[in-house]
Amino acid sequence: MNKVLKAGLVAGGVMAILAGCSSDEGESGTAGSSGGDSGVIDMWVFGTTGYEKLAEAYMEENPDVEINIQTTEMGDHHNNLFTALSAGQGAPDIAMIEVGEIERYREAQDRFVNLYDLGAGDVQGNYLDWVWNVGGSADGEFQFGLPTDIGPTAMYYRTDVVSEAGYPTDPAELAAEVDTWDKYATFAKDIAEATGKPVVDNAELIFNAKRDQASEHYFNRDNELIVEENAEIREAYDYTVDLINADAVGNMPLWTPEWGQGMAEGSYATLLGPAWMQGVVKGNAPDATEWMITTMPEGAGNWGGSYLTISEESEQQEEAYAFIEWLVSPENQLESFKDMGLFPSTPETYAAEEFNNYSDEYFGGINTAAVFAEAAEQVNDVYKGRNYLLVQGEIMTALNNVLSSGGDPDQEWEDAMERIKQRLERE
């Protein structure tokens, strides 16, 4: 799933504006011309969504509407959108915004339509509560977008590695054996002793897994920095450090050749990742038969997903809303799951026959959809704040210094907290 594969790869640099162009009367305008021809709805998306196929179906049912979809690489897409909104012209009627980017746009709330004004409250119950809340303002009064797909997390594991350490390879049995983080730590030590391999690929994913189960992360809903006094986050940091000190954490950073090669060779026992990581594993280890998926200890988190927003400058707000409400309905999220593997944010979809009968031969023929559906309903609703990635980056610098350079964990934590404060003062 290319759309979410790049969720952690935020491109830098502002790209050129995709200016809207009006065409001759009777012809459709290009994407970005929200004030263009009547009946043409311009939509900007990124990655591989398959929405073109659904748009064709919608246009057949609504022949007076034309949907013009433009797809761009994720980083360029968000930079172009931000530039157009800042200029007050050139934004599309509908824009997809990735969950990791949405904080960037909150201060431009007046450039978006409050979807509650268009009837979004009527469909709120279709979506998981935490997903809906992420797409709204901190006070819950303004809804930026309707949820598309999500990225609930689970535990990918190599059956050959866990078996060598004496653990069961059946997903349910392994989940029962490793159902707490304390048991996962014991599991990690057993893996290291029996195989000489780390239990996890890198420090980032084990820290993220623990972090995502916290009730609060780095900022509270008043956008006040709370990371330093947040015991749950410090516990996630200390837990990761303990595994590093036990030689149970690999040094294979995300998206590197070593990381992908490790998937193929079984260089680590588990990968704590989201639903869309299935495609990444298959891509890096196409011939492997040892990968399986089960639930993560003590809950789950989320990595990835998007929202469909409507720009305030759109002259077809009601028509645009009617389309996106239809596009991400439970019925059409099932279609997106079947066609493109986009994991639904609508729990009603989890009860569908096609969903419950799903199986993936690559992962031992199990119903991986059911594993991630269980995870999706365990995700905590947490506020992130627009400087979330700044804080995350400094904590990861600290952990990587411990992992790669043998840095003192307490000093690395203190240094990270100081860097965070200094950088926030300059914001």
Side-chain angles (χ1 to χ4, degrees), residues 155 157-195 197-199 239 243 269-270 290 292 294 297:
M155 185 169 76
Y157 64 96
R158 289 278 302 207
T159 55
D160 51 345
V161 179
V162 303
S163 176
E164 188 176 347
Y167 282 83
T169 59
D170 176 77
E173 292 178 11
L174 183 63
E177 288 264 343
V178 190
D179 60 352
T180 70
W181 288 112
D182 285 344
K183 291 180 181 178
Y184 184 88
T186 301
F187 172 62
K189 293 172 183 175
D190 291 342
I191 292 288
E193 290 175 2
T195 71
K197 296 178 179 180
V199 72
Y239 183 90
L243 289 186
T270 70
E290 298 88 357
M292 195 74 79
T294 191

Side-chain angles (χ1 to χ4, degrees), residues 250-263:
N251 193 5
M252 292 164 267
L254 290 168
W255 319 119
T256 61
E258 295 78 14
W259 182 65
Q261 185 177 354
M263 286 183 200

Side-chain angles (χ1 to χ4, degrees), residues 53-64:
K53 179 179 176 181
L54 287 169
E56 288 292 337
Y58 186 83
M59 287 187 285
E60 287 181 10
E61 295 178 9
N62 300 272
D64 57 331

Side-chain angles (χ1 to χ4, degrees), residues 383-404:
Y383 177 76
K384 290 192 172 181
R386 70 182 185 90
N387 289 306
Y388 188 88
L389 294 178
L390 180 156
V391 178
Q392 172 74 6
E394 293 297 351
I395 292 175
M396 288 316 307
T397 295
L399 283 171
N400 286 327
N401 286 344
V402 175
L403 176 65
S404 302

